[in-house]
Amino acid sequence: MEYFECLFCDKKFPVDVFDIFCSHCREPMICYSPPGKKNFHLDKVNPLEKFRDFLPLEKIGKELSLGEGNSPLIGLNRLKEKYGLPDLYAKDESFNPTGSFKDMGTAVSVQKAVSLGINKIGTVSTGNMAASTAAYGARANVKTYVLVKEDVTQEKLLSAGIFGASLIKVKGDYGELTKKSFSIGKKKKIYFMNSVDPFRIEGYKMIGFEIFLQSNREAPQYIFLPVSAGGHIIGLIKAFQELKQQDLIQKIPTFVGVQAEGCSPLAAAFTAGQTRFQRLQKVKTIAQSISNPDPPAGNTVLKLIRENNGFITSVRDEDILKAQKELAQLEGIFCLPASSTTLAGLWKFKKEVKFDRNDKIILVITGTGLKSLKAIDPAGLDIHQASLEDLDATIQTVEPSSLRGMK
Ligand SMILES: Cc1ncc(COP(=O)(O)O)c(C=O)c1O
Ligand SMILES: [Zn+2]
């Protein structure tokens, strides 16, 4: 039997997708499933089928899938050499159907909605979860409500709107909006599968299982990932905890959660050794996708990170943009500023921690840079202009000097 469990106070409650918060301490809960021997179904391509023993789904409706998962683990050899690092990889979740890791969670939450006969779903999003929920909602033919921040980028707004969801740009505090969505959802029976939805978190576990399988069935030593509401990191930690329960690994990786300095309530609490974070009044960062001033699972994340010897750090916008450019120019990976926080976090972390030569470090690239072109400064790129007549001469000046004059 499954039930909801509060990781903060350990209380347990029956599963109710309209009520995911612990009535005792108001933290969001996770879905607990009975232990027992679980297997990977490696003959299956679809991750929901491959990892079905680990997911709280009675049956899997393959027709609801959009081909999520199976994202590549890409070696970052040039960055590794440039910074004298041990083995470094990107788990590139921008390969997902709507360009972000959110699809791994939405895929599971939508399966749950359909199996429960729910015909109205929704989400509150800074953008990525909006497109993801709208796409899977369209696929499942359920009415989808998407509440977005007023300052959402046009790319993110349109890439959600095209799926036919009802979009509402909401002015006001994002933390309050999230809370309000849950109370509206309960009243109107709209399943708001927000960032910390327990079934969404179950879906994020699949990213961890894929990392394990792609790493020759070993746990990497370090996983760097951006943290905002907290659902993503809870899902990944839970994945490795379950692998440990199954005796498939000895030790879970060291998780390093990264926030943008202009919105870093969890990094601030972690650094100060506090068990509870303080919500922010104002946020300012280029990494708009991770700018939640009042992360709903924040206290649970702090507890999990402490219990598992992880870290939460913050990085400056200028380093986020530098990291975004280096990932693109040295490795060919164009990601969101939210995702390049991982490389910037690694730069910072490297100053304090001595890596072992045999360590393996993974950066979770959570979303594609195409979703936030606004973040790119064209002035910093190698862009030139020429007429047809002077193109020859212009190419000559643009070529690296070592190639000039070669036929
Ligand atoms: C691109 C990207 N990366 C990371 C995150 C952080 O995930 P979470 O809010 O589950 O902590 C988000 C959340 O919106 C995101 O959009
Ligand atoms: Zn509780």
Side-chain angles (χ1 to χ4, degrees):
M1 259 298 277
E2 290 149 22
Y3 50 82
F4 280 172
E5 180 181 16
C6 171
L7 292 180
F8 206 66
C9 71
D10 297 331
K11 287 204 169 33
K12 296 172 181 54
F13 296 87
V15 168
D16 177 358
V17 297
F18 299 109
D19 197 357
I20 65 159
F21 289 89
C22 169
S23 57
H24 182 65
C25 58
R26 301 314 302 158
E27 285 293 304
M29 295 183 284
I30 56 146
C31 185
Y32 175 89
S33 309
K37 179 82 183 125
K38 297 179 184 182
N39 293 306
F40 295 129
H41 299 275
L42 297 178
D43 53 324
K44 303 290 184 193
V45 175
N46 184 300
L48 297 182
E49 293 186 309
K50 199 185 294 175
F51 304 124
R52 66 172 183 251
D53 290 7
F54 293 83
L55 299 174
L57 297 172
E58 287 72 47
K59 72 178 196 14
I60 289 153
K62 257 183 90 175
E63 69 287 356
L64 305 178
S65 168
L66 282 166
E68 59 284 342
N70 294 302
S71 69
L73 190 68
I74 305 172
L76 304 178
N77 295 334
R78 290 183 68 198
L79 283 168
K80 165 186 159 157
E81 297 209 341
K82 180 167 178 187
Y83 294 103
L85 292 161
D87 276 353
L88 181 64
Y89 294 84
K91 173 67 175 160
D92 194 350
E93 290 299 299
S94 67
F95 275 69
N96 275 300
T98 71
S100 88
F101 79 102
K102 297 283 185 183
D103 293 335
M104 297 297 268
T106 312
V108 171
S109 297
V110 165
Q111 291 277 346
K112 199 74 200 172
V114 170
S115 75
L116 293 171
I118 292 169
N119 59 8
K120 287 185 280 184
I121 65 169
T123 201
V124 177
S125 174
T126 53
N128 291 313
M129 207 160 47
S132 179
T133 308
Y136 281 82
R139 182 103 191 138
N141 192 21
V142 290
K143 171 81 185 151
T144 307
Y145 301 86
V146 176
L147 315 181
V148 288
K149 272 170 70 159
E150 201 190 10
D151 63 348
V152 65
T153 66
Q154 194 70 351
E155 290 97 328
K156 284 182 180 160
L157 188 70
L158 300 182
S159 64
I162 191 71
F163 295 111
S166 299
L167 291 184
I168 309 176
K169 276 199 208 184
V170 187
K171 198 170 161 176
D173 182 84
Y174 193 65
E176 289 306 314
L177 170 62
T178 305
K179 284 187 193 131
K180 188 137 195 191
S181 74
F182 287 117
S183 63
I184 293 175
K186 204 167 175 176
K187 238 178 4 218
K188 299 195 180 297
K189 294 287 171 259
I190 304 170
Y191 173 10
F192 270 94
M193 39 189 74
N194 293 341
S195 320
V196 296
D197 176 62
F199 295 102
R200 175 178 289 290
I201 288 175
E202 288 298 298
Y204 295 155
K205 286 187 333 197
M206 300 191 291
I207 303 169
F209 299 146
E210 287 188 357
I211 291 175
F212 166 73
L213 290 176
Q214 288 166 318
S215 306
N216 301 320
R217 291 181 168 258
E218 283 178 8
Q221 278 64 41
Y222 292 93
I223 297 184
F224 285 71
L225 73 174
V227 179
S228 184
H232 184 210
I233 195 164
I234 294 176
L236 259 78
I237 293 177
K238 193 165 187 268
F240 283 93
Q241 284 175 334
E242 291 183 11
L243 291 173
K244 191 157 176 257
Q245 275 162 14
Q246 295 293 316
D247 283 329
L248 291 169
I249 57 169
Q250 316 267 297
K251 185 176 175 296
I252 82 158
T254 299
F255 281 87
V256 185
V258 191
Q259 301 204 292
E261 216 168 73
C263 180
S264 51
L266 302 187
F270 178 79
T271 310
Q274 289 157 352
T275 54
R276 288 175 185 271
F277 71 94
Q278 296 216 305
R279 62 147 302 155
L280 302 177
Q281 297 310 323
K282 272 209 309 262
V283 298
K284 190 172 186 312
T285 172
I286 187 81
Q288 186 229 358
S289 320
I290 51 166
S291 58
N292 190 330
D294 190 12
N299 296 328
T300 301
V301 169
L302 286 169
K303 182 165 184 264
L304 271 183
I305 284 285
R306 245 191 350 268
E307 287 172 354
N308 291 289
N309 303 314
F311 298 85
I312 307 185
T313 189
S314 65
V315 290
R316 297 176 308 176
D317 274 9
E318 60 191 269
D319 293 324
I320 294 174
L321 289 174
K322 180 172 171 225
Q324 184 191 38
K325 217 163 168 180
E326 291 216 352
L327 276 161
Q329 299 190 352
L330 298 184
E331 302 290 0
I333 295 173
F334 177 32
C335 66
L336 278 167
S339 311
S340 68
T341 54
T342 53
L343 177 59
L346 173 58
W347 288 336
K348 186 168 167 188
F349 196 74
K350 184 175 164 281
K351 292 187 192 136
E352 288 152 36
V353 171
K354 197 160 160 37
F355 292 116
D356 188 276
R357 273 182 52 237
N358 300 318
D359 282 348
K360 181 165 181 172
I361 304 172
I362 295 192
L363 311 180
V364 186
I365 298 301
T366 45
T368 170
L370 288 171
K371 294 214 190 198
S372 185
L373 293 175
K374 206 177 86 180
I376 317 291
D377 176 10
L381 306 181
D382 198 7
I383 300 173
H384 307 263
Q385 209 159 354
S387 65
L388 273 178
E389 290 71 35
D390 62 16
L391 187 54
D392 255 4
T394 307
I395 283 192
Q396 182 77 1
T397 59
V398 167
E399 270 172 4
S401 52
S402 59
L403 292 181
R404 272 185 215 142
M406 285 173 84
K407 284 265 156 64

